[in-house]
Amino acid sequence: MKALSKATIYQVAQLAGVSIATVSRALRDSELVTAETRERVQAAARQLNFTPSRPARSLAEGRHAANGIVFPDLVGPYYAEVVLGYEAAAAASGSSVLILATNGRRDAAAAVRDLAGRVDGLTVMGRTVDDEVVAGIAGTGLPVVLLARDPVDGVDTVRAGNTGTARALAEHLVGHGHRRLTFLGDPDDSPDVAGRYAGVRAGAKGARLTLVRGKGLDLESGRRAAAPLLTADKPDAVICANDEVALGVLLAAADLGLRVPEDLAVTGWDDLLAARFAGLTTVRQPMRELGATAAHWLHKRITEENRTAARRRVLATEVVIRGSCGAHEEVHP
């Protein structure tokens, strides 16, 4: 027999038609709550068999025990930048952060549900769990924000622009004579990579585009994938899913004695510090702003008096042309 889920403070607030802060005050017999509201909240709590937890009591005092954020992985500068933005914004609102990485976990969904039961709100990044898991957690009343993934009905979503900027990047390469393009990255592994590949396909008209599904998004993965790619039917340009992969391709090209950009054009995505030193053409995205926006939105959801419609925001990205593709004028999507 399946155990019943424990009621949450958010469900009590929804049933009573008040904010979670009001629920907390009413259950503490605060003088800030009218007798009528207190009775309505207490009746809802009795109906749901709700028992205030430590996080619920912290809400009554204007504090939040913790915000949770779920990452696919924590390795690499991209995730580090997002975490820095998220933690800074959460700290500014008085919240601590619990971080969960799903990479390598046998049951990621169970781990995410467990985290959801220990925090005041949850941010879910990328394709860490299925939409059904997200919808189920949000259905309990827990505030949820999605980061860098496709929207789920009724849930806030913030992500960076991919398709339009990737199309502009591909059009730039085609416009400068590159006719054999390779996209290095797996669209099935990440919503961001899927959006980038879709944009490259749209912008590669008049060129031959090949998809190489590289395993991983780190430097060594890029280097390993590029070695055979650059020795047989070498492309004119390799459009990489991110900067780390692109830096690996640059190393592989150097190993083979290929000159960049004379023999091969290479592009990345993110605009990491290393990309600037390497002269890598890339796409700049606001990594810290992504994290900070998710944290700000989650804080608003936790503290808002009345539930509002789900928000959607796509943060702007821009193509940055450097020496690795052989042309230096600015390009905009």
Side-chain angles (χ1 to χ4, degrees):
M1 181 177 177
K2 188 177 179 180
L4 295 175
S5 299
K6 183 178 179 181
T8 68
I9 191 172
Y10 305 97
Q11 292 171 311
V12 175
Q14 186 176 34
L15 182 60
V18 298
S19 70
I20 55 174
T22 298
V23 171
S24 300
R25 296 187 188 103
L27 296 179
R28 292 171 61 244
D29 291 326
S30 169
E31 294 180 356
L32 298 175
V33 179
T34 66
E36 179 185 355
T37 299
R38 183 183 299 109
E39 176 53 38
R40 190 163 74 251
V41 169
Q42 291 174 346
R46 287 193 298 271
Q47 181 177 333
L48 295 173
N49 195 28
F50 172 73
T51 301
S53 62
R54 183 178 62 83
R57 289 192 294 270
S58 73
L59 287 172
E61 300 166 6
R63 298 181 289 107
H64 307 301
N67 291 346
I69 182 166
V70 181
F71 283 94
D73 205 336
L74 288 174
V75 177
Y78 168 68
Y79 294 120
E81 288 291 312
V82 175
V83 166
L84 285 170
Y86 190 92
E87 286 194 316
S93 65
S95 300
S96 58
V97 178
L98 296 181
I99 298 173
L100 171 68
T102 59
N103 183 38
R105 292 182 179 271
R106 290 184 178 180
D107 193 343
V112 172
R113 290 189 186 100
D114 177 69
L115 177 63
R118 297 187 285 118
V119 295
D120 299 317
L122 187 67
T123 296
V124 180
M125 184 179 190
R127 254 182 218 138
T128 45
V129 290
D130 293 339
D131 289 353
E132 291 76 13
V133 175
V134 172
I137 293 171
T140 68
L142 184 76
V144 177
V145 173
L146 300 181
L147 175 60
R149 69 176 283 161
D150 295 333
V152 172
D153 287 346
V155 181
D156 294 340
T157 306
V158 58
R159 49 188 173 166
N162 286 301
T163 305
T165 317
R167 177 172 183 165
L169 176 62
E171 288 174 343
H172 174 79
L173 293 171
V174 173
H176 283 78
H178 299 296
R179 291 294 178 267
R180 292 185 301 167
L181 310 180
T182 292
F183 184 89
L184 182 52
D186 192 346
D188 292 337
D189 282 349
S190 160
D192 280 338
V193 176
R196 292 164 199 172
Y197 179 55
V200 168
R201 288 180 62 190
K205 297 189 185 326
R208 187 186 74 182
L209 175 64
T210 302
L211 171 64
V212 174
R213 297 179 184 271
K215 300 298 182 183
L217 291 171
D218 55 47
L219 184 147
E220 286 304 320
S221 296
R223 191 174 192 170
R224 286 193 301 269
L229 173 65
L230 300 182
T231 54
D233 194 23
K234 178 182 70 65
D236 299 331
V238 180
I239 303 169
C240 300
N242 70 3
D243 284 350
E244 290 188 82
V245 171
L247 292 169
V249 173
L250 292 178
L251 291 177
D255 293 340
L256 295 168
L258 297 174
R259 299 168 302 162
V260 176
E262 292 85 355
D263 300 323
L264 176 74
V266 180
T267 70
W269 197 287
D270 287 333
D271 198 24
L272 303 176
L273 184 60
R276 303 172 197 179
F277 285 113
L280 179 67
T281 291
T282 187
V283 172
R284 180 178 298 141
Q285 66 167 330
M287 295 172 282
R288 291 198 187 191
E289 187 181 351
L290 277 168
T293 301
H296 285 310
W297 281 14
L298 192 62
H299 176 68
K300 288 179 181 178
R301 284 299 185 198
I302 290 170
T303 58
E304 67 186 358
E305 289 288 331
N306 299 302
R307 176 76 179 178
T308 57
R311 290 165 289 193
R312 306 274 188 267
R313 181 177 298 172
V314 178
L315 302 183
T317 55
E318 62 175 323
V319 177
V320 180
I321 301 300
R322 298 193 179 103
S324 70
C325 70
H328 300 277
E329 63 268 29
E330 292 295 322
V331 178
H332 300 283

